C-alpha cells in the first residue's frame, strides 16, 4: 500500500464514523470556510470534528466518539477541560459583573501572585498573548530608542506583524501567505536561525536591536530545544549590547509552575504568558523587572500624555482576574505539575520504545512532547522544515484520530494535563505503535 492509498483509506474510515460532523459542516455556510476561525480547518480531517463536550483530558464529538485529548486546545486547556474550580469561580463572578473598567480587591491579590510565581516586579494584563507581545515590542522601542527587534526563524508569537518574517534560503523576507501585508517587516525586524551563536553575536553587535523576542524552547515549527549554554549566551549578549530580552512562555509554561525561565535560572527583562494562564478564558499577562519598570516610567514621562495605543477595554476585566486567580491558586499547583511531568516522562519512554529502529525521534520539554519524523532533533527551523513531510503528517494525524486520539494539528505536539490518565497515554503509545507498523509497509 502506498502512502496515498493509506490516506484515502483513513479518510473513508473517518467519513463513516462522523456523519453528524459532516452534516453540520455542510450547514455551516454562515462562517467563512465553514468555521468561526480558520485554524479549525487545519486538521488532517476532510471536515472539522464538531465537539459535543469535553471534560478532563477527554473530548466527545457529536457522533459520540470520545478521544484522549493531547492537543488541549493547543495549550489553553493545558490543565484540563471543564475544571470545576474554574466553572464555580466564573459563575460567581458573572453574578457580580464582568466589565467595570476598574480594579477590584482581587486585582491586588492576582498581581502579588504573579510577582511571587514568576519573579517579575510589575505586571500588565492583555486579552491574548498576541496583544501582550505587541505591547511589549512597543515598550521596548520606546525604552531603548531603537527600531529593530530580533526574532528567530520559525517563530510564532501570535498575530504580531513584526514577527511574520522568515529565512528563505538564508534570506530574510515577509512570511509567505501573509494576508494584506503592505509593509516590509524586514526593515525593522531582524531574523536569524535559532542556536546560531555567531549569527546572534553579529546581529546584536550592530547596536540597533531594541529587543530579542524568543521562546526559551521553540514550539511552533516543531519543538526545538536550545543548545547547551545558548540561552545563557543570549542573556549575556543582550546585556552587553543594550537589548532587552523578552521571553514568551505561552507554551513553555508547561515546564514548571513558574515556567521554563524560572526553573532553569534564566533572567529575562520581560516575560509574557497567555493561553493557559486563565484556564482558557482569553487572557495573557506580561511582567517586567524593576529596572525595566523604571525605564518605562521614564519613557512615559518623555512621551507625555495621550493615547498609548496599548490595551483594550476588555483587558484585565473582572472575569479574567477571577480566572487567573483560580488557576494560580487551585489549578496550576505543584502536585498538578508533578503529575504532568511524570506523565510526559512516561509518554517519552513509551514512544521511544515503539519507534526504535525508525528514523524518528522525540523532543521533550516539561509536559510537552513532540514526535519528529527526523533521525535526530533538529536544531533550527531550516533543519526542521527538511523533515516536514505533509503527507506523512496527514496520514499520522488521521490514523490517530481514527483510533480516538487527538494531538495538536500543526505538527506532532502532545501535551500532558493534570487530568491525563496513564491508560490514555498507553492508548496514544499503542496508536503510534500501530502507525509505525503501517509506516514500515509503505515506506
Amino acid at each position: 500500500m502506498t502512502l496515498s492509498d493509506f490516506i484515502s483509506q483513513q479518510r473513508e474510515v473517518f467519513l463513516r464514523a462522523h456523519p453528524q460532523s459532516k452534516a453540520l459542516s455542510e450547514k455551516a455556510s454562515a462562517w467563512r470556510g465553514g468555521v468561526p476561525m480558520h485554524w479549525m480547518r487545519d486538521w488532517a480531517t476532510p471536515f472539522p470534528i464538531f465537539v459535543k463536550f469535553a471534560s478532563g483530558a477527554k473530548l466527545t464529538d457529536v457522533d459520540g466518539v470520545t478521544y484522549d485529548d493531547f492537543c488541549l486546545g493547543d495549550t489553553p486547556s493545558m490543565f484540563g477541560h471543564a475544571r470545576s474550580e474554574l466553572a464555580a469561580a466564573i459563575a460567581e463572578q458573572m453574578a457580580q459583573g464582568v466589565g467595570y473598567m476598574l480594579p477590584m480587591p482581587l486585582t491586588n491579590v492576582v498581581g502579588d501572585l504573579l510577582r511571587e510565581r514568576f519573579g517579575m516586579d510589575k505586571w500588565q494584563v492583555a486579552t491574548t498573548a498576541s496583544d501582550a507581545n505587541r505591547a511589549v515590542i512597543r515598550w521596548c522601542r520606546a525604552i531603548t530608542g531603537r527600531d529593530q527587534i530580533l526574532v528567530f526563524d520559525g517563530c510564532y508569537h501570535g498575530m504580531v506583524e513584526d514577527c511574520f518574517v522568515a529565512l528563505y534560503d538564508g534570506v530574510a523576507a515577509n512570511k509567505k501567505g501573509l494576508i494584506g501585508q503592505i509593509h516590509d517587516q524586514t526593515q525593522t525586524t531582524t531574523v536569524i536561525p535559532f542556536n546560531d551563536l555567531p549569527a546572534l553575536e553579529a546581529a546584536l553587535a550592530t547596536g540597533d536591536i531594541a529587543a530579542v523576542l524568543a521562546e526559551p524552547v521553540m514550539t511552533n515549527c516543531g519543538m526545538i530545544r536550545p543548545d547547551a549554554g545558548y540561552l545563557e549566551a543570549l542573556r549575556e549578549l543582550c546585556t552587553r549590547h543594550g537589548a532587552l530580552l523578552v521571553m514568551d512562555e505561552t507554551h513553555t509554561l508547561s515546564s514548571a509552575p513558574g515556567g521554563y525561565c524560572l526553573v532553569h535560572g534564566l533572567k529575562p527583562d520581560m516575560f509574557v504568558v497567555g493561553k493557559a494562564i486563565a484556564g482558557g478564558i482569553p487572557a495573557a499577562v506580561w511582567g517586567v523587572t524593576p529596572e525595566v519598570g523604571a525605564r518605562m516610567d521614564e519613557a512615559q514621562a518623555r512621551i507625555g500624555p495621550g493615547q498609548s495605543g496599548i490595551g483594550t477595554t476588555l483587558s484585565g476585566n473582572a472575569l479574567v482576574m477571577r480566572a487567573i486567580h483560580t488557576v494560580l491558586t487551585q489549578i496550576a499547583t505543584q502536585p498538578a505539575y508533578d503529575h504532568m511531568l511524570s506523565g510526559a516522562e512516561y509518554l517519552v519512554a513509551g514512544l521511544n520504545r515503539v519507534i526504535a529502529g525508525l528514523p524518528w525521534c522525540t523532543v521533550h520539554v516539561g509536559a510537552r512532547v513532540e514526535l519528529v519524523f527526523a533521525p535526530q532533533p533538529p536544531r533550527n527551523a531550516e533543519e526542521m522544515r527538511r523533515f516536514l513531510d505533509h503527507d506523512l503528517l496527514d496520514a499520522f494525524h488521521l490514523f490517530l484520530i481514527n483510533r480516538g486520539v487527538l494531538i495538536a494539528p500543526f505538527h506532532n505536539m502532545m501535551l500532558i494535563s493534570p487530568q491525563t490518565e496513564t491508560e490514555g497515554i498507553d492508548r496514544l503509545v499503542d496508536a503510534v505503535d500501530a502507525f509505525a507498523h503501517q509506516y514500515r509497509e509503505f515506506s
Side-chain angles (χ1 to χ4, degrees), residues 247-303:
M247 280 294 168
D248 180 352
E249 288 228 41
T250 296
H251 280 173
T252 54
L253 181 63
S254 61
S255 298
Y260 184 100
C261 287
L262 197 64
V263 77
H264 290 276
L266 186 65
K267 297 186 181 301
D269 299 298
M270 308 174 86
F271 174 94
V272 174
V273 63
K275 288 191 176 181
I277 194 66
I281 298 296
V285 294
W286 56 279
V288 303
T289 63
E291 296 77 13
V292 171
R295 293 178 70 184
M296 290 170 68
D297 293 342
E298 293 168 3
Q300 185 78 71
R302 290 194 307 272
I303 294 166

Side-chain angles (χ1 to χ4, degrees), residues 137 149 151 155-158 160-166 175 189 213:
I137 289 170
I149 65 162
V151 298
C155 75
Y156 179 75
H157 295 286
V160 182
E161 289 84 351
D162 302 84
C163 300
F164 283 104
V165 294
K175 280 189 176 179
T189 299
L213 176 56

Side-chain angles (χ1 to χ4, degrees), residues 306-328:
Q307 292 182 340
S308 69
I310 291 174
T312 71
T313 53
L314 291 175
S315 301
N317 66 63
L319 188 66
V320 161
M321 287 298 168
R322 183 63 67 96
I324 294 175
H325 179 264
T326 303
V327 168
L328 294 180

Side-chain angles (χ1 to χ4, degrees), residues 5-72:
D5 291 337
F6 181 77
I7 292 173
S8 296
Q9 177 197 78
Q10 292 302 310
R11 283 181 179 156
E12 287 300 318
V13 172
F14 180 85
L15 285 166
R16 289 195 298 271
H18 295 87
Q20 296 302 317
S21 280
K22 184 175 186 293
L24 287 167
S25 180
E26 290 170 348
K27 294 177 181 178
S29 61
W31 298 109
R32 183 181 179 277
V35 287
M37 187 64 203
H38 63 87
W39 299 121
M40 296 177 182
R41 292 302 304 267
D42 283 353
W43 298 75
T45 55
F47 47 81
I49 295 170
F50 278 70
V51 179
K52 186 175 183 180
F53 65 90
S55 180
K58 292 181 180 294
L59 180 151
T60 299
D61 69 22
V62 293
D63 289 289
V65 180
T66 296
Y67 306 86
D68 292 301
D69 188 4
F70 294 91
C71 174
L72 299 168

Side-chain angles (χ1 to χ4, degrees), residues 90-397:
I90 289 171
E92 183 178 351
Q93 188 59 54
M94 287 294 295
Q96 299 172 16
V98 173
Y100 313 143
M101 206 176 178
L102 290 166
M104 57 183 182
L106 187 67
T107 306
N108 288 357
V109 178
V110 171
D112 290 341
L113 287 169
L114 291 169
R115 176 186 282 171
E116 178 183 356
R117 178 170 292 224
F118 298 112
M120 291 289 164
D121 185 54
K122 303 294 184 185
W123 289 88
Q124 290 281 270
V125 179
T127 305
T128 67
S130 295
D131 294 331
N133 283 322
R134 192 177 290 114
V136 162
I137 289 170
R138 295 268 298 280
W139 272 114
C140 288
R141 286 171 170 155
I143 288 170
T144 63
R146 301 174 178 179
D147 295 336
Q148 290 282 330
I149 65 162
L150 186 148
V151 298
F152 294 101
D153 183 31
C155 75
Y156 179 75
H157 295 286
M159 199 171 60
V160 182
E161 289 84 351
D162 302 84
C163 300
F164 283 104
V165 294
L167 293 174
Y168 297 101
D169 296 324
V171 178
N174 287 345
K175 280 189 176 179
K176 298 174 181 177
L178 203 55
I179 294 171
Q181 181 59 267
I182 60 173
H183 299 292
D184 181 1
Q185 300 297 342
T186 64
Q187 298 302 302
T188 52
T189 299
T190 299
V191 56
I192 64 171
F194 195 59
N195 281 324
D196 188 333
L197 191 54
L200 178 64
E201 291 175 326
L204 288 171
T206 63
D208 61 358
I209 303 293
V212 176
L213 176 56
E215 295 180 281
V217 177
M218 296 194 74
T219 63
N220 281 284
C221 57
M223 199 151 59
I224 302 171
R225 294 178 61 104
D227 289 345
Y230 185 73
L231 295 180
E232 291 75 14
L234 171 61
R235 172 65 279 178
E236 191 278 325
L237 287 166
C238 283
T239 302
R240 185 194 309 172
H241 295 291
L244 296 168
L245 177 57
V246 183
M247 280 294 168
D248 180 352
E249 288 228 41
T250 296
H251 280 173
T252 54
L253 181 63
S254 61
S255 298
Y260 184 100
C261 287
L262 197 64
V263 77
H264 290 276
L266 186 65
K267 297 186 181 301
D269 299 298
M270 308 174 86
F271 174 94
V272 174
V273 63
K275 288 191 176 181
I277 194 66
I281 298 296
V285 294
W286 56 279
V288 303
T289 63
E291 296 77 13
V292 171
R295 293 178 70 184
M296 290 170 68
D297 293 342
E298 293 168 3
Q300 185 78 71
R302 290 194 307 272
I303 294 166
Q307 292 182 340
S308 69
I310 291 174
T312 71
T313 53
L314 291 175
S315 301
N317 66 63
L319 188 66
V320 161
M321 287 298 168
R322 183 63 67 96
I324 294 175
H325 179 264
T326 303
V327 168
L328 294 180
T329 59
Q330 300 181 52
I331 294 175
T333 62
Q334 187 61 58
Y337 272 91
D338 291 342
H339 179 94
M340 294 162 66
L341 299 178
S342 64
E345 294 281 358
Y346 182 75
L347 173 58
V348 169
L351 291 175
N352 285 339
R353 182 179 69 254
V354 300
I355 67 172
L358 291 172
W360 301 347
C361 65
T362 56
V363 183
H364 168 215
V365 176
R368 188 176 296 271
V369 178
E370 188 94 24
L371 176 62
V372 183
F373 295 140
Q376 299 294 330
R379 295 180 57 251
N380 55 52
E382 181 182 4
E383 289 183 12
M384 184 68 77
R385 285 190 284 261
R386 293 174 193 161
F387 295 99
L388 286 180
D389 183 330
H390 294 288
D391 287 341
L392 183 58
L393 287 169
D394 277 356
F396 181 59
H397 284 252

